[in-house]
Structures are given as structure tokens and as C-alpha cells.
Amino acid sequence: MKRGVGQGGYSLREKIFLKLRQDILDGKYKAGDSLVEMKLAEEMGVSRTPVREAIRQLELEGLVYSIPNKGVFVEGITSQDIEDIYAIRECMEGLAARWAIERMDEQSLKELENLCELMEFYTGKGDLDRVGELNSKFHDLIFESTNSKPLKQILSDFQYYIGNIRLASLKSPGRAEQSLSEHKAIVEAFKDRDVEKGERALVEHIRNTRLNYEKMRRD
Amino acid sequence: MKRGVGQGGYSLREKIFLKLRQDILDGKYKAGDSLVEMKLAEEMGVSRTPVREAIRQLELEGLVYSIPNKGVFVEGITSQDIEDIYAIRECMEGLAARWAIERMDEQSLKELENLCELMEFYTGKGDLDRVGELNSKFHDLIFESTNSKPLKQILSDFQYYIGNIRLASLKSPGRAEQSLSEHKAIVEAFKDRDVEKGERALVEHIRNTRLNYEKMRRD
DNA sequence: ATTGACTCTATTGTATACAATCCCCGGTGT
DNA sequence: ACACCGGGGATTGTATACAATAGAGTCAAT
């Protein structure tokens, strides 16, 4: 039998989960919208089963809430949530920096440096979408290097949640250049294996990102 | 139709999810064990569907990992994970204290005080299981009062993860009394609406819990 | 006019049926 | 002895069928 959606290595459920999450984060479904299993299933040309499973996962992530026998509704994330996430990250990325600097191997360090150079290149070219991508990889690499499952999980989720925000923030004038120099400082500290400096640099970076977001929101 | 398991307000999926999670955390399923949908379904007298949904949620929480078309296997949590969780909590509960003190209403404050008094009572009676329960409620109430969805979600999950550890820790000699006095200090700070003091008290409390855990592990 | 019961529809909850996949294991040829 | 190939069982992935429930709208009795 020919499969409708599930080509790319992932299972249908996985693909649907990612798609729905992206759609919610993109605002395609607004808070309060109801997600009807059958409707979604038809739209994607699959049965209800994988849709259900995807929705259950969204529920656990807190992006939707479900009222038994009634329906499931989009929760979305508020700007309050985003501010909270930045505050939390400010704490946790410090921890991440500490652990990563202690545990990161030479190869990952090289890769980190490389990512930073690529960011410089694309920042120069003004391709900010690409820069945003690299930015994600940069931080993901740090999370990965902490070698801490709990920390990794939290920060990766958060990263995904605020991905769009961060991209928008990156496009505000001057921010990309500032962000770049902050990343350079982080790489510097990592190369020196200087925990104190790295922690400061990373926390500072998050802090500036948050401030920029708040400034952007005011306009 | 008569329902087999889903009596208590929850859906079958919910109950199965909670049960499986508890079983994994209790060590009934050890790391590497495979969870077979059909087997679990038969054991609980339900069909595969709700079992699948529960497993998908466990997967998202990182407690199991699934290899497509092969099976799902218990990941469990290592003692490294637990130490990491304590370290993370040490950061985040400070944040929680700050937010909760600023935002907690009088009624919740009363309740917090009440929980502390109950803990004192049961600590005196030596009913540590009950104390552990109250302890969970105590911290949950604080999380709730932060009014921050992201923070709440993370800390509640962690709390659940390490629930058993904490209970064991509470039973080591003298720890219950120490824990009680720490809780009293927290309540004190909350009543005074003293952010600095509350933050210090709560962080210190987590820190001591962690130290006690490490000490316990060494024996 | 209001209220209460009732049916009807939409939706989810659960069960089962069927398809696809992986992997072990044994046979077979060299 | 050993590599290779193929069958069959076990397991998950997906689809569909059926049950239960909530809620809205209707209609009759008061």
C-alpha cells in the first residue's frame, strides 16, 4: 500500500506531530481553536489514529488541552509565556555553559567555531533565515555537549517554542550584528575552557535576546 | 458498555499513562526492558489503542524510546539524571520563589502555612509517607502560584521524576526534621513577602536535599 | 414564557482488523 | 565451515468499526 504522508523516514504520527506543532507555533491555529481529529485526518489524507497520537503528544507538551468527549483546543503560547521562557533560559543556559565547557570534546568545539564563522558569513550577506538556522544549531550543539538528558530536553523544547520569535528578533536593525559578536565571545570562552567567562557570555547573550524581544514588543 | 479501568474520572489512556510512568519510576520496568503493546494491553484488560497513546506520551517525556517496527524500550532515569535534575532545580526554584512571593494570594499563603503545620504534625508522628505527600503539595502550591505555565510544567515533571528518591531521602535519619525546619523558613519568608530571603531559603532547601541524596548514595 | 425531558448530531473513546516491517533461524550451496 | 538467502513469527503502523458521551435544539406540559 502507498503511504500518503510518511515518506521522509519518520512515521506518520511523527510527521503529523511536527506539522501540527509548527502550525500552532506559526499561529495557523489560534488559541481557543478546536482541533477535530476527523477534519485533520481528512485534510492530511490519513486516518484518525496517527492524528490522535500526535494530539496526545501536543497535549503533554501543553500546547493543546483536551476536554474529554468534547474536543481538544489550542492553548498556544502567550507573550507572558515567552518572557517566562527567556527568564528560565537565563538561569539554565548558565548551567548549560558550565557543563558544556567542562565536557565538550575537541571536535564539537571545532564545529561550534565553524558554525560561528558561517553565521558571520551569512550575517554579512544578510541571509537572516540562514543565520537563524545556524543559531539554532549553535545552541543545540551546546545543549548536546552538556551530556545532560534533562537539560537538553528542556532547552531544546524551549528553543523550538520561541524559534519564530527569535527569528523575528534577529531581523530587528542591528540585532544580527550584536548577536554575532555575542556568539563570538561565547566561542572564545569555550576555546579557553573558561567556565566563568563562558557562563557570563551565554547568560548575557540570552539576556540581550530577551531585552531585544521586549523592545520589539513595545514598538 | 462497562469500562474496565477508566472509572476515576480519567480516561483509560490517562490512567495507563500514569500507571506506566509510575511503574518505570518505581523500577518495575528496568532500563532496557521492552514494552510490548499487546502484552500490556492484555495485562490491563484493554485494547492496544489506549496503551499506544500512553506510550507515545512516555516517549515524549523521554522515559522510553521507540525503534520503529521493532519496539519500545525503557530508558529510565539514571542517577546522573537525578543529580542533573537537582542542579537544575537549584536554579529554577530560586526563580519560582521570586515569582511566587510576588504573586501568591493570601489564601494560598494560608494554605502553604497549613501544609507546613501538617508536615510538622506528621513528622512528629513519624508518618513519613504522609510527610512526603504534603511535601509534594507544598512545592506544587508554590509552582502553581508562580502563575507561569512553562515553569510549572518543568518543575512538576521533575518533582514527579524524583518523587521516590525524595521519599527515600526523607527517611534518612534526621533529614525529616531538617527538612521541616527548612520548610518553616520558607513559609516565614513568604509571609514576609521577602523575595531575597525566600529565594535563599528555597535554594538552600533544594541544595540540602541534593546533598542528602548524594550522601545517601555513598552509603 | 419557562422549564424540563428527549432526541439527534458531532465528537471523542475504545476495540479490532489488516498491512508493513524487522529479525531470527534454518536451509542450501559452495 | 561459512556466507547467503528466504520463510515465518513477532511487533508495530495504520485504518476502520463501533460505543459512549456531551451539548444543542425541539417540543410539550405547566
Side-chain angles (χ1 to χ4, degrees):
Chain A
M1 182 219 171
K2 223 29 182 331
R3 298 157 97 206
V5 186
Q7 305 293 359
Y10 290 99
S11 68
L12 273 182
R13 158 186 47 92
E14 189 86 9
K15 295 195 76 158
I16 294 169
F17 169 70
L18 293 173
K19 172 172 167 33
L20 286 179
R21 184 167 75 165
Q22 192 60 60
D23 283 353
I24 291 173
L25 263 28
D26 282 351
K28 196 173 292 184
Y29 301 110
K30 284 176 278 299
D33 285 4
S34 85
L35 296 180
V36 178
E37 292 174 7
M38 267 250 288
K39 206 164 127 259
L40 294 172
E42 275 174 12
E43 278 173 24
M44 308 192 209
V46 300
S47 82
R48 277 176 57 207
T49 310
V51 175
R52 275 183 70 77
E53 293 176 356
I55 287 179
R56 292 289 84 84
Q57 296 193 298
L58 292 172
E59 191 184 355
L60 196 74
E61 280 216 332
L63 285 174
V64 306
Y65 61 95
S66 120
I67 302 177
N69 292 310
K70 181 139 183 272
V72 2
F73 303 88
V74 175
E75 180 105 34
I77 53 179
T78 66
S79 50
Q80 179 63 54
D81 289 337
I82 292 172
E83 286 190 26
D84 288 355
I85 286 175
Y86 275 123
I88 295 170
R89 282 185 69 196
E90 232 172 284
C91 289
M92 307 238 322
E93 299 252 2
L95 207 55
R98 222 180 310 155
W99 287 346
I101 287 175
E102 285 165 358
R103 300 169 191 172
M104 182 177 267
D105 59 37
E106 286 302 321
Q107 192 197 339
S108 298
L109 195 53
K110 272 266 175 292
E111 204 177 325
L112 198 70
E113 212 177 336
N114 187 39
L115 281 170
C116 194
E117 282 164 10
L118 281 173
M119 276 170 65
E120 180 158 28
F121 177 69
Y122 285 110
T123 301
K125 287 190 65 169
D127 185 349
L128 296 184
D129 288 306
R130 183 63 60 96
V131 174
E133 237 174 74
L134 293 165
N135 193 342
S136 290
K137 278 191 188 148
F138 185 93
H139 288 282
D140 265 332
L141 182 57
I142 293 177
F143 304 157
E144 200 59 43
S145 300
T146 63
N147 214 17
S148 167
K149 188 153 62 89
L151 190 68
K152 224 182 313 185
Q153 185 150 339
I154 294 173
L155 289 178
S156 298
D157 281 351
F158 278 169
Q159 173 129 292
Y160 209 92
Y161 273 39
I162 60 173
N164 288 326
I165 304 291
R166 205 180 34 187
L167 188 54
S169 162
L170 203 58
K171 290 181 178 170
S172 71
R175 178 57 197 152
E177 289 72 18
Q178 192 195 354
S179 170
L180 178 62
S181 79
E182 285 163 15
H183 282 107
K184 279 183 181 171
I186 293 167
V187 171
E188 194 74 20
F190 270 62
K191 276 187 6 192
D192 295 348
R193 303 270 177 192
D194 186 331
V195 174
E196 293 297 320
K197 201 166 86 181
E199 197 172 332
R200 265 204 314 278
L202 197 42
V203 169
E204 187 69 18
H205 171 56
I206 304 298
R207 184 181 164 71
N208 286 335
T209 311
R210 175 171 61 80
L211 291 175
N212 187 257
Y213 166 67
E214 283 169 6
K215 180 163 148 294
M216 207 175 61
R217 250 172 61 75
R218 280 198 303 275
D219 306 337
Chain B
M1 181 222 173
K2 227 20 183 335
R3 297 159 100 207
V5 186
Q7 305 294 356
Y10 291 99
S11 68
L12 273 183
R13 157 186 50 91
E14 189 86 8
K15 297 195 77 158
I16 293 169
F17 169 70
L18 293 173
K19 173 175 168 30
L20 286 178
R21 184 167 76 165
Q22 192 61 58
D23 283 353
I24 291 174
L25 263 27
D26 283 351
K28 195 173 293 180
Y29 301 110
K30 284 177 279 296
D33 284 4
S34 84
L35 297 180
V36 178
E37 292 174 5
M38 267 249 289
K39 205 163 129 260
L40 295 172
E42 274 174 13
E43 277 173 25
M44 307 191 210
V46 300
S47 81
R48 277 176 57 207
T49 310
V51 175
R52 276 183 68 78
E53 292 177 357
I55 287 179
R56 290 289 85 82
Q57 296 194 299
L58 292 172
E59 191 183 355
L60 197 73
E61 281 216 333
L63 285 174
V64 306
Y65 61 94
S66 123
I67 301 177
N69 291 312
K70 180 135 183 279
V72 2
F73 304 87
V74 175
E75 180 106 30
I77 53 179
T78 66
S79 51
Q80 179 62 55
D81 289 337
I82 292 172
E83 286 191 26
D84 288 355
I85 286 175
Y86 275 123
I88 295 170
R89 282 185 69 198
E90 233 172 283
C91 289
M92 308 242 317
E93 299 251 1
L95 207 54
R98 223 181 310 156
W99 287 346
I101 287 175
E102 285 166 358
R103 300 169 190 172
M104 182 177 266
D105 60 37
E106 286 303 321
Q107 192 198 340
S108 298
L109 195 53
K110 273 266 174 293
E111 203 176 326
L112 198 71
E113 213 177 336
N114 187 39
L115 281 169
C116 194
E117 281 164 10
L118 281 172
M119 278 170 63
E120 180 158 30
F121 177 69
Y122 285 110
T123 301
K125 287 190 66 169
D127 185 349
L128 295 185
D129 289 306
R130 184 61 61 96
V131 174
E133 238 174 72
L134 292 165
N135 194 340
S136 290
K137 279 191 189 148
F138 185 93
H139 288 282
D140 265 332
L141 182 56
I142 293 178
F143 304 158
E144 200 59 46
S145 300
T146 62
N147 213 16
S148 165
K149 189 154 64 89
L151 190 67
K152 224 182 315 184
Q153 185 150 338
I154 295 172
L155 289 177
S156 298
D157 281 351
F158 279 169
Q159 170 128 295
Y160 210 93
Y161 274 38
I162 60 174
N164 287 328
I165 304 292
R166 204 179 38 188
L167 188 54
S169 161
L170 203 57
K171 289 180 176 168
S172 70
R175 177 58 197 153
E177 288 73 16
Q178 192 195 353
S179 170
L180 177 62
S181 79
E182 286 163 14
H183 281 105
K184 279 182 180 170
I186 293 167
V187 170
E188 194 75 20
F190 270 63
K191 278 189 358 192
D192 295 348
R193 303 273 176 187
D194 186 332
V195 174
E196 292 297 320
K197 202 168 84 180
E199 197 172 332
R200 266 203 315 278
L202 198 42
V203 170
E204 186 69 17
H205 171 56
I206 304 297
R207 182 180 166 72
N208 285 335
T209 311
R210 174 170 64 78
L211 292 175
N212 187 258
Y213 166 68
E214 283 169 7
K215 178 162 149 293
M216 207 175 62
R217 251 173 60 77
R218 279 196 304 275
D219 305 338

